[in-house]
Coordinates of all heavy atoms in Angstrom, one line a residue:
D410 N 74.2 100.5 115.9 CA 73.0 100.3 115.2 C 71.9 99.7 116.2 O 70.8 99.3 115.7 CB 73.2 99.4 113.9 CG 74.1 98.2 114.2 OD1 74.7 98.1 115.3 OD2 74.2 97.4 113.3
N411 N 72.2 99.6 117.4 CA 71.2 99.2 118.4 C 70.9 100.4 119.4 O 70.3 100.2 120.4 CB 71.6 98.0 119.2 CG 71.5 96.7 118.5 OD1 70.7 96.6 117.5 ND2 72.2 95.7 118.9
L412 N 71.2 101.6 118.9 CA 70.8 102.8 119.7 C 70.2 103.8 118.8 O 70.5 104.0 117.6 CB 72.2 103.4 120.2 CG 72.9 102.7 121.3 CD1 74.3 103.3 121.5 CD2 72.2 102.5 122.6
I413 N 69.1 104.4 119.3 CA 68.5 105.5 118.6 C 68.4 106.7 119.6 O 68.4 106.6 120.8 CB 67.0 105.1 118.2 CG1 66.1 104.7 119.4 CG2 67.0 104.1 117.1 CD1 64.7 104.4 119.0
E414 N 68.4 107.9 119.0 CA 68.3 109.1 119.7 C 66.9 109.7 119.8 O 66.2 109.8 118.8 CB 69.3 110.2 119.1 CG 69.4 111.4 119.9 CD 70.4 112.4 119.4 OE1 71.1 112.1 118.4 OE2 70.4 113.6 119.8
L415 N 66.5 110.0 121.0 CA 65.2 110.5 121.2 C 65.2 111.6 122.3 O 65.6 111.4 123.5 CB 64.2 109.5 121.7 CG 62.8 109.8 122.0 CD1 62.1 110.3 120.7 CD2 62.0 108.7 122.5
K416 N 65.0 112.8 121.9 CA 65.0 114.0 122.8 C 66.3 114.0 123.6 O 66.3 114.1 124.9 CB 63.8 113.9 123.8 CG 62.5 114.0 123.1 CD 61.3 113.9 124.0 CE 59.9 114.1 123.2 NZ 58.8 113.9 124.2
N417 N 67.4 114.1 122.9 CA 68.7 114.1 123.5 C 69.0 113.0 124.5 O 69.7 113.2 125.5 CB 68.9 115.5 124.3 CG 68.8 116.7 123.3 OD1 69.4 116.6 122.2 ND2 68.1 117.7 123.7
E418 N 68.5 111.9 124.2 CA 68.7 110.7 125.0 C 68.9 109.5 124.1 O 68.3 109.4 123.1 CB 67.5 110.5 125.9 CG 67.7 109.3 126.9 CD 66.4 109.1 127.8 OE1 65.5 109.9 127.6 OE2 66.5 108.2 128.6
L419 N 69.9 108.6 124.5 CA 70.1 107.4 123.7 C 69.2 106.3 124.2 O 69.2 106.0 125.5 CB 71.5 106.9 123.7 CG 72.6 107.9 123.1 CD1 73.9 107.3 123.2 CD2 72.2 108.1 121.6
I420 N 68.5 105.6 123.3 CA 67.5 104.6 123.7 C 68.0 103.3 123.1 O 68.1 103.2 121.9 CB 66.1 104.8 123.3 CG1 65.6 106.2 123.8 CG2 65.2 103.7 123.7 CD1 65.6 106.3 125.3
P421 N 68.3 102.2 123.9 CA 68.8 100.9 123.3 C 67.5 100.2 122.7 O 66.5 100.1 123.4 CB 69.5 100.2 124.5 CG 68.9 100.8 125.7 CD 68.4 102.2 125.3
I422 N 67.7 99.6 121.7 CA 66.6 98.8 121.1 C 67.3 97.4 120.8 O 68.5 97.1 120.9 CB 66.0 99.3 119.8 CG1 67.2 99.6 118.7 CG2 65.3 100.6 120.1 CD1 66.6 100.0 117.4
D423 N 66.4 96.4 120.3 CA 66.9 95.1 120.0 C 67.5 94.4 121.1 O 68.7 94.1 121.3 CB 67.8 95.1 118.8 CG 68.0 93.7 118.2 OD1 67.4 92.8 118.7 OD2 68.7 93.5 117.2
W424 N 66.6 94.0 122.1 CA 67.1 93.3 123.4 C 67.1 91.8 123.3 O 66.8 91.1 124.2 CB 66.1 93.8 124.5 CG 66.3 95.2 124.9 CD1 66.0 96.4 124.3 CD2 66.9 95.6 126.2 NE1 66.4 97.4 125.0 CE2 66.9 97.0 126.2 CE3 67.4 94.9 127.3 CZ2 67.4 97.8 127.3 CZ3 67.9 95.7 128.3 CH2 67.9 97.1 128.3
E425 N 67.5 91.3 122.1 CA 67.4 89.9 121.9 C 68.4 89.1 122.8 O 68.1 88.0 123.2 CB 67.9 89.6 120.4 CG 67.9 88.2 120.1 CD 68.2 88.0 118.6 OE1 68.2 88.9 117.8 OE2 68.6 86.8 118.2
F426 N 69.5 89.7 123.2 CA 70.5 89.1 124.0 C 70.6 89.6 125.4 O 71.5 89.4 126.1 CB 71.9 89.2 123.4 CG 72.0 88.7 122.0 CD1 72.2 89.5 120.9 CD2 71.7 87.4 121.7 CE1 72.2 89.1 119.6 CE2 71.7 86.9 120.4 CZ 72.0 87.7 119.3
C427 N 69.4 90.1 125.9 CA 69.5 90.7 127.3 C 69.4 89.5 128.3 O 68.8 88.4 128.0 CB 68.2 91.6 127.5 SG 66.7 90.8 127.5
D428 N 70.0 89.7 129.4 CA 70.0 88.7 130.5 C 70.4 89.4 131.8 O 71.0 90.5 131.7 CB 70.8 87.5 130.2 CG 70.4 86.2 130.9 OD1 69.6 86.4 131.9 OD2 70.9 85.1 130.6
F429 N 70.4 88.7 132.9 CA 70.9 89.3 134.1 C 72.4 88.9 134.2 O 72.7 87.7 134.2 CB 70.2 88.8 135.4 CG 68.8 89.5 135.6 CD1 67.7 89.0 134.9 CD2 68.8 90.7 136.3 CE1 66.5 89.7 135.1 CE2 67.6 91.4 136.4 CZ 66.4 90.9 135.9
R430 N 73.3 89.8 134.3 CA 74.8 89.6 134.3 C 75.3 90.5 135.3 O 74.7 91.3 135.9 CB 75.3 89.9 132.9 CG 74.7 89.0 131.8 CD 75.5 89.3 130.4 NE 74.9 88.5 129.3 CZ 74.0 88.9 128.5 NH1 73.5 90.1 128.6 NH2 73.5 88.1 127.6
S431 N 76.7 90.4 135.5 CA 77.3 91.4 136.5 C 77.2 92.8 136.0 O 77.1 93.1 134.8 CB 78.8 91.0 136.5 OG 79.4 91.0 135.3
P432 N 77.0 93.7 137.0 CA 76.5 95.1 136.6 C 77.4 95.8 135.6 O 76.9 96.7 134.9 CB 76.5 95.8 138.0 CG 76.3 94.7 139.0 CD 77.1 93.4 138.4
A433 N 78.7 95.5 135.5 CA 79.6 96.3 134.6 C 79.7 95.7 133.2 O 80.5 96.1 132.4 CB 81.0 96.5 135.2
Y434 N 78.9 94.6 133.0 CA 79.0 93.8 131.7 C 79.0 94.7 130.5 O 79.8 94.7 129.6 CB 78.1 92.6 131.7 CG 78.1 91.9 130.3 CD1 79.0 90.8 130.2 CD2 77.4 92.4 129.2 CE1 79.1 90.2 129.0 CE2 77.5 91.7 127.9 CZ 78.4 90.7 127.9 OH 78.5 90.0 126.7
D435 N 77.9 95.5 130.4 CA 77.6 96.3 129.2 C 78.7 97.3 129.0 O 79.1 97.6 127.8 CB 76.3 97.0 129.3 CG 75.1 96.1 128.9 OD1 75.4 95.2 128.1 OD2 74.1 96.3 129.3
I436 N 79.3 97.9 130.1 CA 80.4 98.8 129.9 C 81.7 98.2 129.4 O 82.3 98.7 128.5 CB 80.7 99.6 131.3 CG1 79.5 100.3 131.7 CG2 81.9 100.4 131.1 CD1 79.7 101.1 133.0
Y437 N 82.0 97.0 130.0 CA 83.2 96.3 129.5 C 83.0 95.9 128.0 O 84.0 96.0 127.2 CB 83.5 95.0 130.3 CG 84.1 95.4 131.7 CD1 83.5 94.9 132.9 CD2 85.3 96.1 131.8 CE1 84.1 95.1 134.1 CE2 85.8 96.4 133.0 CZ 85.3 95.9 134.1 OH 85.9 96.2 135.4
K438 N 81.8 95.4 127.6 CA 81.5 95.1 126.3 C 81.7 96.2 125.3 O 82.3 96.1 124.3 CB 80.1 94.5 126.2 CG 79.7 94.0 124.8 CD 80.1 92.6 124.6 CE 79.5 92.0 123.3 NZ 79.9 90.6 123.1
F439 N 81.1 97.4 125.8 CA 81.2 98.6 124.9 C 82.7 99.0 124.8 O 83.1 99.4 123.7 CB 80.4 99.7 125.6 CG 80.2 100.9 124.7 CD1 79.2 101.0 123.8 CD2 81.1 102.0 124.8 CE1 79.0 102.1 123.0 CE2 81.0 103.2 124.1 CZ 79.9 103.2 123.1
K440 N 83.5 98.9 125.9 CA 84.9 99.3 125.9 C 85.6 98.4 124.9 O 86.5 98.8 124.2 CB 85.4 99.2 127.3 CG 86.9 99.7 127.3 CD 87.4 99.6 128.7 CE 88.8 100.1 128.8 NZ 89.4 100.0 130.3
S441 N 85.3 97.1 124.9 CA 86.0 96.2 124.0 C 85.8 96.4 122.5 O 86.6 96.2 121.7 CB 85.7 94.7 124.4 OG 84.3 94.4 123.9
R442 N 84.6 97.0 122.3 CA 84.2 97.3 120.9 C 84.7 98.6 120.4 O 85.0 98.9 119.3 CB 82.6 97.3 120.7 CG 82.0 95.9 120.6 CD 80.5 96.0 120.6 NE 79.9 94.8 120.0 CZ 78.7 94.4 120.2 NH1 77.9 95.1 120.9 NH2 78.3 93.3 119.6
F443 N 84.7 99.6 121.4 CA 85.1 101.0 121.0 C 86.3 101.5 121.8 O 86.1 102.4 122.7 CB 83.8 101.9 121.2 CG 82.6 101.5 120.5 CD1 81.6 100.9 121.1 CD2 82.6 101.6 119.1 CE1 80.5 100.4 120.4 CE2 81.5 101.2 118.4 CZ 80.4 100.6 119.1
P444 N 87.4 100.8 121.7 CA 88.6 101.3 122.5 C 89.0 102.7 122.1 O 89.7 103.4 122.8 CB 89.7 100.3 122.1 CG 89.2 99.8 120.8 CD 87.8 99.7 120.9
Q445 N 88.6 103.2 120.9 CA 89.0 104.5 120.4 C 88.4 105.6 121.2 O 88.8 106.8 121.1 CB 88.5 104.7 118.9 CG 87.1 104.7 118.6 CD 86.4 103.3 118.3 OE1 87.1 102.3 118.9 NE2 85.4 103.2 117.6
Y446 N 87.4 105.4 122.1 CA 87.0 106.4 123.0 C 88.0 106.9 123.9 O 87.9 108.0 124.5 CB 85.7 106.0 123.7 CG 84.4 106.1 122.9 CD1 84.2 105.4 121.7 CD2 83.5 107.1 123.3 CE1 83.0 105.6 121.1 CE2 82.4 107.3 122.5 CZ 82.2 106.5 121.3 OH 81.0 106.7 120.7
G447 N 89.0 106.0 124.2 CA 90.2 106.4 124.9 C 90.1 106.2 126.4 O 89.0 106.1 127.0
K448 N 91.3 106.2 127.1 CA 91.4 106.0 128.5 C 90.6 107.0 129.3 O 89.9 106.6 130.3 CB 92.9 106.0 128.9 CG 93.2 105.6 130.3 CD 94.7 105.6 130.5 CE 94.9 105.3 132.0 NZ 96.4 105.4 132.3
E449 N 90.8 108.2 129.0 CA 90.2 109.3 129.8 C 88.6 109.1 129.8 O 88.0 109.3 130.9 CB 90.5 110.7 129.3 CG 90.0 111.8 130.1 CD 90.3 113.2 129.5 OE1 91.1 113.3 128.5 OE2 89.8 114.2 130.1
F450 N 88.0 108.9 128.7 CA 86.5 108.6 128.6 C 86.1 107.6 129.5 O 85.1 107.7 130.3 CB 86.1 108.3 127.1 CG 84.7 107.9 127.0 CD1 83.7 108.8 126.9 CD2 84.3 106.6 127.0 CE1 82.3 108.5 126.7 CE2 83.0 106.2 126.9 CZ 82.0 107.1 126.7
Y451 N 86.7 106.4 129.5 CA 86.3 105.3 130.3 C 86.6 105.5 131.8 O 85.8 105.0 132.6 CB 86.9 104.0 129.8 CG 86.3 103.5 128.4 CD1 87.0 103.6 127.3 CD2 85.0 103.0 128.4 CE1 86.4 103.3 126.1 CE2 84.5 102.6 127.3 CZ 85.1 102.8 126.1 OH 84.6 102.4 124.8
E452 N 87.7 106.2 132.1 CA 88.0 106.5 133.5 C 86.9 107.4 134.1 O 86.4 107.1 135.2 CB 89.3 107.2 133.7 CG 90.5 106.2 133.5 CD 91.9 106.9 133.7 OE1 91.9 108.1 133.6 OE2 92.8 106.2 133.8
K453 N 86.5 108.4 133.3 CA 85.4 109.3 133.8 C 84.0 108.5 133.9 O 83.3 108.8 134.8 CB 85.3 110.5 132.8 CG 86.4 111.5 132.9 CD 86.1 112.7 132.0 CE 87.2 113.7 132.2 NZ 87.1 114.9 131.2
L454 N 83.8 107.6 132.9 CA 82.6 106.8 132.9 C 82.5 106.0 134.1 O 81.4 106.0 134.9 CB 82.5 106.0 131.6 CG 81.3 105.0 131.6 CD1 80.0 105.6 131.7 CD2 81.4 104.2 130.3
F455 N 83.6 105.2 134.4 CA 83.6 104.4 135.6 C 83.4 105.1 136.9 O 82.7 104.7 137.8 CB 84.9 103.5 135.6 CG 84.8 102.2 134.8 CD1 85.3 102.1 133.6 CD2 84.1 101.1 135.3 CE1 85.2 101.0 132.8 CE2 84.0 99.9 134.6 CZ 84.6 99.9 133.4
L456 N 84.1 106.3 137.0 CA 84.1 107.1 138.1 C 82.6 107.6 138.4 O 82.1 107.6 139.5 CB 85.0 108.2 138.0 CG 85.2 109.2 139.3 CD1 85.7 108.3 140.4 CD2 86.2 110.3 138.9
K457 N 82.0 108.1 137.3 CA 80.6 108.6 137.3 C 79.6 107.6 137.8 O 78.8 107.8 138.7 CB 80.2 109.2 136.0 CG 78.9 110.0 136.1 CD 78.7 110.8 134.7 CE 77.5 111.6 134.8 NZ 77.3 112.5 133.6
I458 N 79.7 106.4 137.2 CA 78.7 105.3 137.5 C 79.0 104.7 138.9 O 78.1 104.2 139.5 CB 78.7 104.3 136.4 CG1 77.4 103.5 136.4 CG2 79.8 103.3 136.5 CD1 77.1 102.8 135.2
E459 N 80.3 104.7 139.3 CA 80.6 104.2 140.6 C 79.9 105.1 141.7 O 79.4 104.6 142.7 CB 82.1 104.3 140.8 CG 82.5 103.6 142.1 CD 84.1 103.7 142.4 OE1 84.8 103.9 141.4 OE2 84.5 103.5 143.6
R460 N 79.9 106.4 141.5 CA 79.3 107.4 142.5 C 77.8 107.1 142.5 O 77.2 107.0 143.6 CB 79.6 108.8 142.1 CG 81.0 109.2 142.4 CD 81.1 110.8 142.4 NE 80.8 111.4 141.1 CZ 81.7 111.7 140.1 NH1 82.9 111.5 140.3 NH2 81.2 112.2 139.0

Side-chain angles (χ1 to χ4, degrees):
D410 45 352
N411 282 340
L412 295 171
I413 57 175
E414 186 177 350
L415 181 65
K416 296 179 181 178
N417 297 318
E418 183 181 1
L419 292 181
I420 305 299
I422 58 174
D423 197 355
W424 285 71
E425 180 177 346
F426 302 115
C427 71
D428 204 345
F429 283 90
R430 302 182 179 95
S431 53
Y434 176 89
D435 280 331
I436 296 180
Y437 283 127
K438 181 84 169 185
F439 191 86
K440 185 179 179 183
S441 73
R442 280 176 160 162
F443 305 106
Q445 66 270 27
Y446 275 70
K448 183 179 179 180
E449 184 181 356
F450 171 85
Y451 288 107
E452 284 181 346
K453 288 182 178 179
L454 171 58
F455 274 101
L456 187 61
K457 187 170 186 176
I458 202 165
E459 184 183 344
R460 286 198 298 264

